[in-house]
């Protein structure tokens, strides 16, 4: 009779363990002044760097390096507002070399750091306002992609919201070519299953981007609770922070925060109104009319 062996860890147990290890690695990245190496992150987990890299990406949708970059970019946005100089902000955010940061600054921020610090100065953002079945809709794009999709009752209020977000950017409206982009977004609002084949300029903290990435994986016709999203990103206790990330979303429908509901199934916390949330879910077949 063969010698007995220890039972293998079941997949559910392994998944919970991986989520906890990745969550702790994320906290280490967020606390560190400089991004830890892959070997440093893997060491406490007992995994090889290669295995840890694969597990981390499966849990978060990002590689450890991409997560660290996104976190530092979010920290930089905060530092640019408070620091005395742009160089101080870059170093305070954990970027060791200003020159290497500037090589990819537009990718990280969507614009040059001086423009972000100045509220979007020198940035050119095209926008247009239209109408859809949910009311007024504003769509705006930077050079990188669609950076805002706003819904509301008052078109002027939507324009003010965009201006508040980019107070010194050059906002360009009235472009007939750009209205085609708005028509594409409106078509997606009316028929979400067709998908939205437009590049997005997603700007948020590392945590927000993890939440938003998880939201984009919820298919039309499905829902998830805030607690489920928190578990999916490896932060089961961060339910309120997940709700906060949903509230901070500036890309209505493209990042489908309307598909997130309370644990009891109730609808709440939608930036553009609970009634719009209800209508979107009804249209997608996620709730009955």
């Amino acid at each position: 009779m063969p010698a007995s062996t220890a039972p293998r860890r079941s997949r559910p147990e392994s998944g919970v363990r991986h989520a906890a290890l990745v969550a702790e690695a994320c906290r280490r990245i967020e606390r560190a002044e400089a991004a830890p190496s892959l070997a440093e992150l893997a060491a406490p987990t007992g995994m090889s760097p290669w295995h840890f890299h694969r597990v981390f990406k499966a849990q978060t949708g990002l590689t450890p390096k991409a997560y660290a970059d996104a976190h530092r970019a979010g920290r930089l946005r905060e530092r640019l507002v408070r620091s005395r100089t742009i160089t101080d902000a870059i170093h305070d955010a954990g970027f060791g070399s200003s020159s290497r940061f500037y090589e990819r600054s537009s990718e990280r921020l969507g614009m040059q750091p001086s423009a972000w610090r100045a509220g979007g100065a020198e940035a050119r953002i095209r926008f247009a306002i239209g109408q859809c079945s949910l009311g007024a809709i504003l769509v705006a794009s930077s050079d990188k992609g669609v950076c805002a999709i706003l819904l509301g009752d008052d078109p002027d209020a939507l324009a003010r919201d965009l201006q508040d977000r980019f107070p010194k950017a050059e906002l360009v409206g009235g472009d007939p070519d750009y209205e085609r982009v708005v028509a594409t977004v409106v078509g997606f609002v009316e028929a979400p299953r067709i998908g939205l084949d437009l590049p997005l300029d997603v700007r948020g903290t590392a945590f927000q981007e993890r939440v938003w990435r998880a939201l984009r994986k919820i298919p039309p016709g499905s829902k998830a609770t805030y607690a489920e999203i928190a578990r999916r990103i490896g932060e089961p206790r961060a339910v309120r922070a997940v709700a906060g990330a949903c509230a901070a979303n500036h890309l209505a429908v493209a990042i489908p925060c309307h598909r997130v509901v309370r644990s009891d199934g109730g609808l709440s916390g939608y930036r553009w109104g609970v009634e719009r949330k209800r209508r979107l879910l009804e249209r997608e077949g996620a709730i009955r009319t």
Side-chain angles (χ1 to χ4, degrees), residues 85-97:
T85 68
I86 292 173
T87 300
D88 287 346
I90 291 171
H91 287 290
D92 288 347
F95 293 98
S97 166

Side-chain angles (χ1 to χ4, degrees), residues 86 142 158 189 199 219 241 248 261:
I86 292 173
S142 67
L158 298 183
V189 170
V261 299

Side-chain angles (χ1 to χ4, degrees), residues 36-236:
S37 68
L38 181 60
E40 289 171 337
L41 290 171
T45 70
M47 303 179 203
S48 69
W50 176 84
H51 187 202
F52 174 76
H53 185 279
R54 188 176 66 175
V55 168
F56 190 100
K57 187 171 183 181
Q59 289 286 328
T60 68
L62 297 171
T63 66
K65 183 180 184 304
Y67 181 85
D69 285 348
H71 174 71
R72 286 189 298 172
R75 190 158 58 182
L76 176 64
R77 294 183 186 103
E78 298 172 357
R79 298 296 194 278
L80 283 170
V81 175
R82 301 199 305 264
S83 297
R84 185 173 59 85
T85 68
I86 292 173
T87 300
D88 287 346
I90 291 171
H91 287 290
D92 288 347
F95 293 98
S97 166
S98 298
S99 60
R100 296 178 81 182
F101 169 79
Y102 272 102
E103 289 173 3
R104 297 180 61 195
S105 60
S106 292
E107 178 183 335
R108 298 179 194 278
L109 295 175
M111 61 185 73
Q112 291 294 319
S114 57
W116 182 276
R117 182 181 176 90
E122 300 178 11
R124 186 172 184 270
I125 295 176
R126 295 190 297 166
F127 78 99
I129 299 174
Q131 288 289 321
C132 66
S133 61
L134 299 176
I137 182 169
L138 181 148
V139 182
S141 295
S142 67
D143 291 340
K144 187 177 178 182
V146 177
C147 60
I149 301 174
L150 310 178
L151 299 170
D153 298 317
D154 182 355
D156 291 338
L158 298 183
R160 289 194 298 271
D161 190 350
L162 181 67
Q163 192 167 34
D164 288 343
R165 183 160 170 75
F166 302 105
K168 297 184 181 179
E170 179 190 0
L171 301 181
V172 181
D175 181 348
D177 290 336
Y178 190 71
E179 290 180 3
R180 297 193 189 108
V181 176
V182 180
T184 299
V185 175
V186 169
F188 177 61
V189 170
E190 306 300 343
R193 294 182 187 277
I194 68 174
L196 184 63
D197 188 20
L198 290 173
L200 300 181
D201 181 359
V202 179
R203 308 178 188 207
T205 65
F207 180 84
Q208 287 171 340
E209 291 187 14
R210 286 168 64 200
V211 172
W212 297 341
R213 187 180 296 270
L215 300 188
R216 296 185 70 189
K217 292 181 180 180
I218 307 172
S222 299
K223 305 189 299 292
T225 66
Y226 296 101
E228 285 170 343
I229 296 298
R231 289 194 294 271
R232 289 177 192 180
I233 65 170
E235 299 278 3

